[in-house]
Amino acid sequence: MATQKPPSWEKYWGLVVVFSRFSALFMLLGTYKSFGVLMDSYIYDLDTSAAEAGTATVLFFAFVYFTAPIFGVLADMMGSNGARILIMLGGIVSTIAMCLSALSTTWYQLAFYLSLAGVGYGMVQVPTVAPLLMYFTDKFGLANSISAAGGAVGMIVLPPLTERMIDNYGWRGASMLLGVASLHTTVAGALMRPPSSFKEKRSYQQIYGKDDAPQDGTPYESLTKVKRFAKLMQEQLSIDVFRKRPRFVVYQFIFLLAGVQFAGWHLFLVPNALSQDIALFDAAFLASIGGIGNIIGRAFNGPLLDHNIFSDAMLFVLIHLVCALSLLLDPLATEYPLMAVLAFWAGLTIGASYAVTIVIAKNLAEEEKHIMAAVGWTHFFMGFGAVIGGPLVGATFDITGYYHVGFLLMGGCELLITVCTFIELMQRRYTQDLRGRYLLM
C-alpha cells in the first residue's frame, strides 16, 4: 500500500473517514452486544439450550473474523477504492441476513443467517482500517482509538434500544430493525473516499507480475492463471510469516485466547445478570455501563502509545491483568452495584485491548504492504477463539446452572494472556540487550 501523504486539504476528509469507521463499528459491535439481550428469547422461543444459542450467536462474530484475512487482502488488491466497495457491499449483505434471521424457527436457521450477517460485517471490519492507513501515517494510533470507540458507543446505545424493541415488537421485530439499521454501514463505506494520491488503478503487472503480463492479447492458460493467483494470494496473505516469525505465531495464540473472553463476555454479561433475578432493563443497562468503560478504554491508549509512555506489549499486559481480575471477581458480584463496577472495568479493558491489538498487529507486519494481512490474521484467530468462548460459557451454564464458572474460565484465559505476553516481552528485551552488548564488543 502506498504511503505518500495526501494534500493538506484532504486531511479534513480524514476526519470524515474516522467518523465513518466510527459509525460502521457502532453497528457491528452494538449489534453483537445486542445478542446478549436477545439470548433468552432465542433460548425460549426456539426451544434450545444456552450452548446452542451461544453457538448460533457467536458464529456471527466468528465469521466477521474468519473472513478478515481474505477481505483484508481483497481490499488491498482491488486498489484504492477496494475497501470502500467491500464496506458498502458488506452493509447490504448484513442487512439482508439480519432481516432473514427474524424468520428463524430453529437454532440451525438462526446460526446460518447470523453467519451470513457475519460475512457481511467481515467485509467491513478489516477494510475500514485501510482508509485510516491512507490518511493517518503518523497518528494512526490516535485515529484508530477514536474510530474504534464507535463500537463502544454501539454497546451503550443498541442493547437498551433492543430491550425496548423486544418489549414493543418481540425479538423478531427487534432483529428486523437491527437489520435495517445495518444499512447505515453502506453509507459509511460510501464516505470513505481515498485521497487523490491513491486513486491510480492497479496494472496487470500488479496482478500477474511484470514478466507474466498478457502481451499481444494472448490469453493465459487456465492452469497458469490459477497458479499465478495462488502465488499472489500466498504473498498477499503473508503465509510465510508463520514460518519465519515465531513472535507472530505467539501473538496469534494470544489473540485466540482474547477471542474466547471477548465473545463470552459480550454474549453472556446480560444473561448472567438475568440468571440472578436482575430485571431485563437493568441487566441490559450493564451492557451500557460496559460500553462507557469501553469508550474510555479505546480512547486513552492512543496517546499512551503515540507518546511512547508504554510499549504496545506492556500496555497489553496491564490491560489483560485488570480484565482478569474483573472476571475472576464475578462470583462475588451478587448485588447490582458490584455487577456494574465489574462491567465497567471489563468493558474498559476489552475496549483498550482491541485498540492495542490493532496496533500490535500493525507492528508485527514485516513490511507496510503486509499490514492488512497481519491485521486480517489477527482477527481470524480472535474469531477462532470466539467459536470456543461462546459455546464454552453457554455449556457451563447448561451443566451447572450458573454463569460464574464460565466467567472464571474467561478470567483464567486472561491470566494466561498476561503471562504469555509478559514472557514474550521479557525474552525480546533480553535478546535486544544481548545484541547491544555484542555490538559494543
Side-chain angles (χ1 to χ4, degrees):
M1 184 177 294
T3 58
Q4 299 174 357
K5 289 187 177 182
S8 58
W9 65 268
E10 285 191 325
K11 291 181 180 179
Y12 295 105
W13 197 261
L15 299 178
V16 176
V17 170
V18 169
F19 174 76
S20 297
R21 184 171 188 249
F22 181 100
S23 59
L25 296 184
F26 173 96
M27 286 307 308
L28 169 56
L29 193 52
T31 299
Y32 184 65
K33 192 65 178 174
S34 297
F35 291 147
V37 181
L38 291 163
M39 185 66 69
D40 275 13
S41 298
Y42 292 153
I43 293 173
Y44 294 116
D45 194 59
L46 300 181
D47 191 23
T48 188
S49 67
E52 290 170 339
T55 300
T57 50
V58 84
L59 284 174
F60 170 89
F61 177 81
F63 273 90
V64 170
Y65 281 17
F66 280 160
T67 56
I70 300 298
F71 291 131
V73 168
L74 284 177
D76 201 26
M77 292 174 60
M78 291 167 64
S80 58
N81 273 302
R84 192 182 189 187
I85 294 170
L86 286 174
I87 295 166
M88 294 172 66
L89 180 60
I92 295 172
V93 173
S94 60
T95 295
I96 294 172
M98 283 298 299
C99 290
L100 289 175
S101 73
L103 306 178
S104 302
T105 56
T106 67
W107 80 271
Y108 297 105
Q109 293 176 348
L110 180 68
F112 173 77
Y113 292 132
L114 294 186
S115 298
L116 183 60
V119 173
Y121 273 113
M123 299 180 188
V124 175
Q125 176 84 333
V126 173
T128 57
V129 176
L132 285 187
L133 292 170
M134 294 179 186
Y135 280 95
F136 299 95
T137 57
D138 298 325
K139 296 294 183 181
F140 175 78
L142 180 60
N144 177 60
S145 296
I146 295 173
S147 60
V153 177
M155 288 174 55
I156 296 174
V157 175
L158 287 187
L161 281 179
T162 301
E163 185 270 332
R164 291 302 187 191
M165 289 189 290
I166 292 174
D167 287 343
N168 291 314
Y169 309 110
W171 75 266
R172 298 182 186 277
S175 298
M176 189 77 70
L177 290 172
L178 285 174
V180 173
S182 297
L183 200 58
H184 286 84
T185 307
T186 298
V187 178
L191 291 173
M192 289 188 174
R193 66 176 292 278
S196 57
S197 56
F198 283 79
K199 284 187 175 180
E200 69 281 357
K201 292 185 178 180
R202 301 206 161 193
S203 64
Y204 275 110
Q205 283 74 20
Q206 291 172 288
I207 304 300
Y208 293 96
K210 183 176 180 179
D211 297 331
D212 297 328
Q215 298 177 3
D216 300 326
T218 303
Y220 274 84
E221 295 292 335
S222 297
L223 183 59
T224 303
K225 290 182 179 180
V226 170
K227 287 182 177 180
R228 184 61 200 176
F229 181 76
K231 182 179 179 181
L232 178 64
M233 287 299 295
Q234 181 178 355
E235 293 173 354
Q236 293 291 325
L237 288 170
S238 304
I239 295 176
D240 287 346
V241 75
F242 289 95
R243 177 172 54 87
K244 296 178 179 179
R245 301 280 306 269
R247 182 176 174 233
F248 187 85
V249 177
V250 170
Y251 269 102
Q252 299 317 304
F253 173 71
I254 291 171
F255 296 147
L256 183 149
L257 293 175
V260 172
Q261 170 267 339
F262 188 94
W265 183 80
H266 278 89
L267 286 178
F268 293 104
L269 173 67
V270 174
N272 180 34
L274 292 173
S275 71
Q276 300 180 64
D277 298 324
I278 302 297
L280 177 58
F281 178 80
D282 293 333
F285 191 67
L286 287 176
S288 297
I289 294 173
I292 294 171
N294 207 282
I295 290 177
I296 298 172
R298 292 179 185 237
F300 84 82
N301 70 86
L304 292 178
L305 294 175
D306 287 340
H307 292 87
N308 297 317
I309 298 174
F310 288 103
S311 68
D312 53 6
M314 181 54 71
L315 186 57
F316 199 72
V317 168
L318 296 175
I319 287 168
H320 284 276
L321 180 60
V322 175
C323 187
L325 293 175
S326 68
L327 294 169
L328 293 173
L329 290 174
D330 180 76
L332 302 178
T334 57
E335 300 294 333
Y336 190 80
L338 184 53
M339 291 181 187
V341 171
L342 295 182
F344 173 83
W345 281 104
L348 185 148
T349 52
I350 290 170
S353 172
Y354 178 74
V356 175
T357 294
I358 300 297
V359 176
I360 290 175
K362 175 178 176 288
N363 293 335
L364 284 172
E366 287 184 321
E367 303 176 40
E368 188 169 359
K369 65 180 181 180
H370 296 312
I371 289 177
M372 292 301 293
V375 173
W377 283 117
T378 294
H379 285 83
F380 176 87
F381 281 95
M382 286 184 67
F384 193 79
V387 173
I388 300 172
L392 178 64
V393 177
T396 59
F397 175 78
D398 292 334
I399 295 171
T400 66
Y402 299 97
Y403 285 107
H404 297 317
V405 178
F407 276 68
L408 290 174
L409 289 173
M410 290 189 290
C413 287
E414 289 297 292
L415 286 178
L416 186 55
I417 289 172
T418 302
V419 172
C420 290
T421 307
F422 185 75
I423 291 175
E424 191 281 328
L425 176 61
M426 292 299 102
Q427 187 274 335
R428 181 154 42 95
R429 288 184 176 179
Y430 177 73
T431 301
Q432 290 172 349
D433 288 342
L434 286 180
R435 289 177 180 172
R437 293 174 187 174
Y438 177 78
L439 292 174
L440 291 174
M441 293 176 60

